[in-house]
Amino acid sequence: MAELTVSVVAADREVWSGVAKQIVARTTEGEIGILPGHEPLLGILGAGEVRITPTEGAVVTTRAEDGFLSVENNTVTIVAGAAELL
């Protein structure tokens, strides 16, 4: 089964990293869902939650704002000015 390599980074530290089967994030255009095989994407984060469904374990929720979301080759990078686990 394909999976996503995910990294959520705040300006001063890494907030979460691991492998996931799904990501849901808020952009300035609205919510977006990302699954393995997603087309390359660069989006501007809107203030709100990022929900990560790891390949194992419970959903991880972070709050992120002032940054961007990048998707390429099943790698998702979320870089935010401010981010924290909820």
Side-chain angles (χ1 to χ4, degrees):
M1 179 171 104
E3 54 190 31
L4 300 164
T5 302
V6 181
S7 180
V8 180
V9 181
D12 58 346
R13 71 195 186 304
E14 182 175 70
V15 176
W16 190 89
S17 67
V19 292
K21 52 187 173 183
Q22 177 181 327
I23 307 288
V24 177
R26 179 163 305 282
T27 69
T28 55
E29 300 294 318
E31 264 194 355
I32 185 168
I34 299 165
L35 298 171
H38 198 285
E39 290 293 317
L41 167 80
L42 182 61
I44 300 170
L45 285 178
E49 292 183 352
V50 175
R51 295 183 306 278
I52 304 163
T53 306
T55 54
E56 296 181 12
V59 172
V60 175
T61 304
T62 67
R63 176 159 176 78
E65 59 186 68
D66 298 329
F68 66 90
L69 163 82
S70 170
V71 180
E72 187 171 8
N73 297 326
N74 288 330
T75 299
V76 179
T77 306
I78 298 170
V79 179
E84 63 183 345
L85 288 173
L86 297 180

